[in-house]
Structure formats: structure tokens, C-alpha cells
Amino acid sequence: MAYTVPKLTDYSAAALEKAARECVGACTGEAAEVRNDAELKAFRDRWMARKNGILTQINDLWLKGAPKEAKREAGIRVNELKARITELVEGAHVAGSGGDSLVAERVDISLPGVRRPIGAEHPVMRTWREIVGVFQKLGYSVAEGPVVETDYYNFEALNFPPNHPARDTQDTLFIAGQQSKPQRERLLLRTHTSPVQIRTMEKMRPPIRIVIPGTVHRNDPPDASHSPMFHQIEGLAVDTNITFGDLKGTLDHAMKALFGSSVKTHFRPSFFPFTEPSAELYVTCFICGGSGKRGADPCRPCKQSGWIEVLGCGMVDPNVFEFVKDNGYDPKKVSGFAFGMGVDRLALLKYGVDDLQYFFQGDVRFLQQFG
Ligand code: DAH
């Protein structure tokens, strides 16, 4: 006789056990009787159908009908039983078929797998890695810091006083709802990687030599040469007796390592609040070799000047050291240089890409070219 779900009156452990055993026995027996795909389907429906399948009936008859004090124990038993029945039903197959004709969803592990093509390194990340590598070979370590930063680290400790106009040069994206906090605690998206200079000096005593790669944000609408998100690599060296000569020698070496030994470097005076003196570093255009021309045409990347601006740099302003003085950075005893460069712009120039947006659109056809 086909199995039907009995009503339970006795909810003792022994009675539950017996009822479960009979149920599993019935299911095992029926599974062994399945002769073809139609029977398999009927078997599955009989046991598993949401509406009035045996498992549903067990739920209704055994669980919902259980007296309050037996509910917990009955629940545990019924769950165990459900797991066992599900296992039996899912493992069932047409007798003699070896199990492969009917269980369509079963995985055939002898088939070759789905191959995922190996991706290409993104040109921005490649450039990032190359730049970091040049400085690592000079003995620099890598430091990182948060993208969501406080006003203190992004501005104040870098010698941008509150309300100083130099803040306006960094079109900052502020986090909403910060007005109730003191200004130095207000959160923003860091506009440069320079705040990690301070964060690192707070943690490490001099001498230090670090490079800091990272993501930064500015309120710039996206176009061929701007993006609200981009990447920078910062550098900082602090020790006793570090001079502008060290800065020039280090950066000249780094530019030759990056762009080829024939590039020349050239420094022009500039202004950054956290360095004094400050400079912009130019290298001879590695597209036209410094001639300003490509054949008969003007060289566009260097605007025919033969020079390309690659970074900002300078000697760390003593005012910056004042913020980390207690960690060994007495401005009377130590000196240092810093620099910061845009990775994306260098990647654009290096790979001759004419629109920055290609880097961030995730179009595989573009990225494949770098594979
Ligand atoms: N933080 C500057 C910017 O984003 C770049 C910079 C200039 C970094 C001079 C430096 C530096 O460390 O010394 O515009």
C-alpha cells in the first residue's frame, strides 16, 4: 500500500522516531521502483510538490498539529527528516540507467570546463606598478591611506590653513552632513595622496623614504583629460641633510628609468602650500623627442613645446613638520623632499591614448589592446 502521512497523536521521542523511520523507508522503497523519466517526475512531485507534496503534508500534520510543549522537538525532527527525504529524492534515478539520463542538472565532471580568458593588466595599473617599482629599487617602501579623509589630513596638516585660497585649487568633493563637526574632523574624498605623508610620519620616525600610490577624487566633470576619480603617486623622503640636490638627482634618475635614458629633466618654480621651494618637473617629450614636431605635424601631447609636465615637487615646508614634530620631525633637525604625480595622465601619454574616459569605461575591446 502506498505510503500516506499518518496523523500524530503521540509526540514522544520514540513515536517521532518511528514515524520518521517509516517515512524514510517508504521513500527509499519508492525511489527504487522508478522505471522511467515520467515515473521519476511523478515520484518527485509526490514527495516534494510545494502544494500537498508529502513533505508539505508532514509540515502541516506533524508540526502545526503538535502541542505547544512538543513543538521544538518535533521541529528539529521534521527538519532532519526533510533533509533526508530531499537527499533521497534528488539522488533518485531511473533503475538501470546509472543515473545519467534523467538528472539533467547533474554536473558531468568529465566534460572540459568553461575557460575564463586571462585578463590583461589595465594600462593605469601597469603604469602605477612601473612607477612604484622604480622607487622600490631605490629603497622606498610603499604606504597607503584612506580615500575618505578628514579636512585635517587633506588640508590643515599640509599647511593649507582654513579658508586659504590654495584650497580652491583642489575642487573638493565633501561628504554631506558634516557641518556639526569641527572643521578639521569633517570628511571629504581626498583630493591628493599627500595626506598619507602626514599619516606615515605620525607612525614612522625619520629617516623615511616612501611612495604612496592611490585613488583620489575631484569635482571635475569627465572629459578627454579629466575624471572625477584618478590616481596619484606621492613620494616622500625625510632625513637629516636632505637637499634640493637630492630631489633633483632622485627624480632625474626616476624619469630616465621610466621614459628612457635619453630624456632630460627640467624644473620650473611653482607653489604648493606643503613645499618650499616648490617646482614642477618637466621631461623632454617622449613622443617627439623634444623637437615639438612629429614629421611635418606639430606634436600635440607637448603642445609643440618639446616638454611635458610630469609632477609637482619641492622641499617639505617646515610648517608641515611642525604637525608631526613630536614624532621626531623637528624642523630644525630634519629636512625632506616630496613629489606627486598623476598616474592616468602619464599612462595616456605613454600609450598614446587620446581620451582618458577609455580607461574607466571597462570596454573589453579597448582593454584587450594591452593584453
Ligand atoms: N598634491 C599635489 C596635487 O595633487 C601634487 C604634489 C605637489 C605633491 C608637490 C607633492 C608635492 O608631494 O611636493 O596637486
Side-chain angles (χ1 to χ4, degrees):
M1 250 238 328
Y3 175 79
T4 52
V5 182
K7 255 206 162 77
L8 284 188
T9 44
D10 180 357
Y11 276 88
S12 67
L16 282 168
E17 174 85 45
K18 181 166 170 281
R21 215 179 321 115
E22 281 170 10
C23 180
V24 170
C27 187
T28 313
E30 288 182 30
E33 295 297 305
V34 171
R35 297 275 162 252
N36 54 43
D37 286 358
E39 282 181 23
L40 182 67
K41 184 175 179 319
F43 165 73
R44 287 191 163 170
D45 287 347
R46 170 169 150 75
W47 286 87
M48 304 292 286
R50 220 165 265 282
K51 219 173 140 196
N52 221 27
I54 290 177
L55 284 187
T56 306
Q57 291 179 39
I58 287 177
N59 218 37
D60 289 348
L61 286 171
W62 296 6
L63 264 193
K64 291 191 183 146
K68 229 186 177 149
E69 58 290 355
K71 273 223 153 67
R72 215 183 97 79
E73 186 62 25
I76 295 171
R77 296 279 169 164
V78 167
N79 274 341
E80 281 168 9
L81 178 62
K82 275 187 189 166
R84 181 77 192 106
I85 297 289
T86 308
E87 210 174 70
L88 283 169
V89 173
E90 278 174 3
H93 54 266
V94 175
S97 71
D100 32 17
S101 81
L102 23 93
V103 192
E105 66 270 26
R106 218 174 248 187
V107 177
D108 180 350
I109 58 166
S110 68
L111 288 172
V114 180
R115 274 184 201 278
R116 273 174 195 272
I118 294 175
E121 190 175 31
H122 193 284
V124 171
M125 297 327 275
R126 188 186 294 181
T127 309
W128 160 316
R129 207 170 37 72
E130 280 169 10
I131 300 170
V132 168
V134 165
F135 288 96
Q136 280 181 312
K137 285 200 190 116
L138 289 174
Y140 283 59
S141 2
V142 179
E144 286 184 292
V147 174
V148 178
E149 191 48 283
T150 59
D151 185 282
Y152 176 78
Y153 287 109
N154 198 75
F155 291 125
E156 189 180 335
L158 288 167
N159 199 31
F160 291 79
N163 303 318
H164 193 281
R167 288 179 174 229
D168 298 346
T169 62
Q170 312 232 343
D171 301 299
T172 311
L173 291 160
F174 295 95
I175 307 281
Q178 304 285 304
Q179 286 77 359
S180 61
K181 295 184 182 167
Q183 177 159 9
R184 55 163 57 177
E185 287 170 29
R186 291 184 198 164
L187 298 174
L188 44 82
L189 295 181
R190 69 175 177 196
T191 56
H192 50 179
T193 41
S194 309
V196 191
Q197 288 189 23
I198 308 294
R199 286 185 174 275
T200 311
M201 287 192 283
E202 284 178 350
K203 281 191 286 214
M204 292 163 63
R205 302 178 73 84
I208 57 170
R209 281 159 182 72
I210 47 165
V211 269
I212 306 151
T215 305
V216 303
H217 292 79
R218 293 202 193 172
N219 186 15
D220 284 328
D223 65 23
S225 56
H226 293 85
S227 163
M229 186 284 301
F230 58 104
H231 303 90
Q232 285 190 340
I233 294 180
E234 187 85 10
L236 175 69
V238 183
D239 205 335
T240 47
N241 290 324
I242 293 229
T243 66
F244 202 87
D246 296 315
L247 162 65
K248 287 182 82 172
T250 304
L251 292 180
D252 185 72
H253 166 83
M255 294 305 121
K256 288 186 162 74
L258 280 173
F259 303 118
S261 55
S262 59
V263 301
K264 294 197 179 69
T265 53
H266 142 108
F267 293 79
R268 290 186 201 170
S270 183
F271 172 78
F272 300 101
F274 40 93
T275 43
E276 181 61 32
S278 305
E280 275 152 11
L281 171 64
Y282 287 73
V283 296
T284 38
C285 178
F286 37 83
I287 314 285
C288 66
S291 68
K293 288 210 174 64
R294 291 171 93 178
D297 297 331
C299 179
R300 273 208 302 153
C302 67
K303 302 195 187 85
Q304 302 182 60
S305 72
W307 293 97
I308 287 188
E309 184 194 335
V310 266
L311 52 80
C313 59
M315 300 306 290
V316 179
D317 192 307
N319 289 348
V320 170
F321 287 138
E322 287 292 338
F323 288 93
V324 284
K325 198 174 177 171
D326 295 343
N327 202 31
Y329 293 87
D330 181 344
K332 293 200 188 68
K333 295 193 182 133
V334 294
S335 57
F337 65 78
F339 56 88
M341 64 189 106
V343 183
D344 318 76
R345 207 175 73 87
L346 291 178
L348 276 186
L349 292 167
K350 209 172 146 123
Y351 295 105
V353 174
D354 52 20
D355 189 334
L356 180 60
Q357 297 310 313
Y358 286 131
F359 283 157
F360 307 126
Q361 286 163 343
D363 186 331
V364 176
R365 291 168 304 175
F366 170 74
L367 298 171
Q368 258 167 356
Q369 302 174 76
F370 303 93

